[in-house]
């Protein structure tokens, strides 16, 4: 896990309710936690809610922080759990996409090169929408593994510990998530090619 | 196309991309890929998939207004009273 090396946060001051130290904590970790939250929840408003709830929990439970991990890791874990709760609330209103067994994405189906992928590394609005849509279509289980491992740069072991599953399960889900997203994007690039779009 | 080798590549795809395979197996898979266009495409497009999502995530920045709201809403002294 990449930790914010610039931030030195005093747990003692937080426990004492030091306002300045708490503001320092917000400034140090908000950006990283926001990226995590938006990757999991898929929208800005939910991400903001996740941050708010996370920091409230931090204030309320800082006294129970035992220092077994870094403060960042501890807060990160709270944020992941908050984001999962928000994701589940949203998903319940739409549909349950949590059944891994219904997904047949253990093998690549569409095999075409991506000739249309822009070389300039700028993600167009249209492509961003497609990326968002594809990740939203993943089951919660696959999405969480992909976000934590590939977007948040956690190790397989850290991802497994955070989600309370075995490393083998993480590996299986990661492969399925990557293949599913690859499949969606392949369709998108192929359709774009047919339409002669850039 | 050697079906068994293709299956093996898909099985090891994540570990191959992440650089977590022993060198002997990497050499074996790369030997296979040198003759298998489909597997080369699958590896290439999977790497690009991850890269696009990583880039999109890096491009996400927390708006200043959100940070301001957090500071405004989260007054630690209010919560310490609980």
């Amino acid at each position: 896990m990449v930790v914010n090396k610039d931030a030195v946060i005093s747990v003692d001051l937080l426990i004492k309710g030091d306002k300045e130290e708490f503001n320092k904590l917000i400034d140090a970790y908000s950006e990283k936690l926001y990226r995590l939250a938006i990757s999991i929840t898929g929208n800005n408003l939910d991400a903001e809610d996740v941050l708010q709830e996370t920091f409230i929990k931090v204030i309320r439970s800082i006294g129970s922080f035992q220092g077994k991990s870094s403060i960042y890791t501890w807060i990160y874990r709270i944020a992941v759990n908050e984001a999962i709760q928000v994701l589940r609330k949203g998903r319940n209103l739409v549909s349950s996409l949590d059944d891994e067994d219904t997904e047949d994405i253990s093998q690549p189906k569409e095999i075409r090169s991506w000739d249309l992928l822009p070389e300039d590394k700028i993600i167009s609005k249209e492509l961003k929408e497609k990326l968002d849509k594809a990740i939203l279509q993943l089951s919660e289980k696959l999405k969480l593994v992909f976000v934590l491992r590939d977007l948040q740069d956690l190790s397989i072991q850290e991802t497994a510990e955070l989600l309370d599953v075995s490393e083998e399960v993480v590996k299986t889900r990661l492969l399925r998530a990557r293949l599913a997203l690859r499949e969606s994007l392949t369709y998108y690039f192929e359709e774009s090619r047919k339409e002669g779009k850039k | 196309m050697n079906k068994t080798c293709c299956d093996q590549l898909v099985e090891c795809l994540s570990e191959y991309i992440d650089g977590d395979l022993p060198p002997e197996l990497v050499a074996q898979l790369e030997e296979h890929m040198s003759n298998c266009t489909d597997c080369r495409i699958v590896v290439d497009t999977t790497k690009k998939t991850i890269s696009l999502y990583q880039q999109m995530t890096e491009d996400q920045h927390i708006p200043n207004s959100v940070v301001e709201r957090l500071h405004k809403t989260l007054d630690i002294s209010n919560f310490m009273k609980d």
Side-chain angles (χ1 to χ4, degrees):
Chain A
M1 184 187 294
V2 180
V3 180
N4 189 334
K5 291 172 185 161
D6 299 325
V8 181
I9 304 293
S10 164
V11 175
D12 289 342
L13 286 176
L14 289 177
I15 291 172
K16 285 175 188 163
D18 187 287
K19 194 172 179 177
E20 203 175 308
E21 197 65 8
F22 186 63
N23 285 336
K24 203 165 112 185
L25 181 86
I26 292 175
D27 289 334
Y29 298 145
S30 286
E31 178 96 355
K32 287 179 83 67
L33 296 179
Y34 184 78
R35 282 182 182 160
L36 165 75
I38 209 165
S39 297
I40 294 177
T41 64
N43 77 72
N44 302 334
L45 289 176
D46 284 344
E48 186 173 344
D49 283 348
V50 168
L51 257 68
Q52 193 166 318
E53 289 305 313
T54 298
F55 285 122
I56 288 173
K57 283 206 168 160
V58 168
I59 300 170
R60 288 188 164 148
S61 52
I62 188 69
S64 65
F65 175 68
Q66 295 177 333
K68 287 180 182 169
S69 60
S70 73
I71 179 108
Y72 177 71
T73 304
W74 183 70
I75 295 172
Y76 189 89
R77 191 180 287 266
I78 294 173
V80 169
N81 288 327
E82 284 300 321
I84 291 172
Q85 280 189 28
V86 168
L87 178 69
R88 285 182 181 157
K89 279 181 198 163
R91 278 267 164 90
N92 287 341
L93 296 174
V94 185
S95 62
S96 173
L97 298 172
D98 200 23
D99 189 354
E100 267 184 284
D101 297 328
T102 60
E103 295 175 358
D104 181 24
I105 43 171
S106 56
Q107 288 289 325
K109 294 174 195 162
E110 194 74 21
I111 300 178
R112 294 175 193 275
S113 62
W114 295 358
D115 299 330
L116 279 175
L117 185 65
E119 293 292 327
D120 54 10
K121 295 267 182 185
I122 294 172
I123 296 181
S124 68
K125 192 181 168 198
E126 187 187 343
L127 177 55
K128 187 183 178 311
E129 282 171 6
K130 186 62 206 174
L131 292 169
D132 285 338
K133 194 175 169 191
I135 202 167
L136 274 174
Q137 286 171 341
L138 289 182
S139 71
E140 178 190 305
K141 288 173 181 172
L142 299 191
K143 181 180 182 175
L144 286 173
V145 167
F146 180 75
V147 167
L148 295 177
R149 175 74 185 96
D150 279 342
L151 307 187
Q152 295 289 310
D153 205 25
L154 268 63
S155 67
I156 295 284
Q157 189 191 346
E158 287 169 331
T159 305
E161 284 172 7
L162 205 53
L163 299 177
D164 199 21
V165 294
S166 70
E167 291 185 25
E168 280 313 302
V169 166
V170 169
K171 287 178 187 175
T172 305
R173 290 180 186 173
L174 182 64
L175 176 62
R176 287 178 159 210
R178 286 171 167 179
L179 288 175
L181 294 171
R182 189 206 73 87
E183 205 76 21
S184 293
L185 296 183
T186 299
Y187 282 119
Y188 165 72
F189 285 120
E190 183 58 15
E191 287 304 307
S192 297
R193 188 188 66 78
K194 283 179 188 167
E195 290 169 18
K197 286 184 189 172
K198 276 234 167 180
Chain B
M1 189 194 297
N2 184 330
K3 184 85 169 63
T4 312
C5 286
C6 295
D7 288 345
Q8 191 187 9
L9 186 129
V10 172
E11 238 173 66
C12 304
L13 182 62
S14 280
E15 286 92 341
Y16 174 72
I17 287 173
D18 295 340
D20 290 337
L21 289 179
E24 317 83 66
L25 188 50
V26 171
Q28 200 181 321
L29 293 175
E30 288 180 349
E31 165 69 20
H32 165 68
M33 277 193 286
S34 67
N35 297 307
C36 181
T37 308
D38 283 358
C39 281
R40 279 204 306 277
I41 289 174
V42 169
V43 168
D44 179 59
T45 50
T46 306
K47 281 182 180 174
K48 283 175 179 166
T49 298
I50 298 164
S51 168
L52 280 171
Y53 276 101
Q54 286 174 339
Q55 192 192 331
M56 186 176 79
T57 306
E58 282 167 19
D59 291 345
Q60 297 274 12
H61 296 289
I62 187 166
N64 288 335
S65 57
V66 173
V67 181
E68 282 166 16
R69 272 198 296 279
L70 285 172
H71 281 296
K72 201 173 171 183
T73 317
L74 301 171
D75 183 344
I76 194 167
S77 51
N78 292 337
F79 294 95
M80 296 305 290
K81 287 171 193 164
D82 290 350

